[in-house]
Amino acid sequence: LREQLHLQQTMVFDTPDDKRLTCLVRMMSGCHAVCQMATRMRPETALAHAWGLESFAQQSTVADTLDRFTDVHVQPLRAVISCIY
């Protein structure tokens, strides 16, 4: 994911890669909407540690990252998700 998808974004608490990884884990864990992250994923520090993160990014910062996606970013994301599944 880090090698295939490049998106310029500022970092305050979480890197852009951490936000994208949080989103990917969200999809894989069955969250159907970004708003579910606050209650279903954010408290799961053990799961975050398993993915190499201190904690999962907040839903608002993940939503901001997703808002920055363009068609150019979607194609590599699809390729990465296809490889994982």
Side-chain angles (χ1 to χ4, degrees), residues 16-29:
D17 288 333
D18 292 347
K19 295 172 199 175
R20 290 189 296 265
L21 182 58
T22 297
C23 186
L24 178 65
V25 174
R26 172 193 65 85
M27 290 186 297
M28 292 172 41
S29 66

Side-chain angles (χ1 to χ4, degrees), residues 1 7 9-10 13-27 31 33-38 41-42 53 55-69 77:
L1 187 61
L7 181 67
Q9 193 175 16
T10 59
F13 295 109
D14 302 298
T15 68
D17 288 333
D18 292 347
K19 295 172 199 175
R20 290 189 296 265
L21 182 58
T22 297
C23 186
L24 178 65
V25 174
R26 172 193 65 85
M27 290 186 297
C31 292
V34 174
C35 65
Q36 292 177 317
M37 292 172 51
M41 286 183 57
R42 188 105 166 106
L53 301 171
S55 63
F56 287 117
Q58 293 183 14
Q59 71 182 40
S60 61
T61 60
V62 173
D64 290 343
T65 298
L66 293 175
D67 285 343
R68 298 179 60 87
F69 272 58
L77 182 61

Side-chain angles (χ1 to χ4, degrees), residues 5 26 46 52 63 71 83:
L5 187 60
R26 172 193 65 85
D71 291 340
C83 287

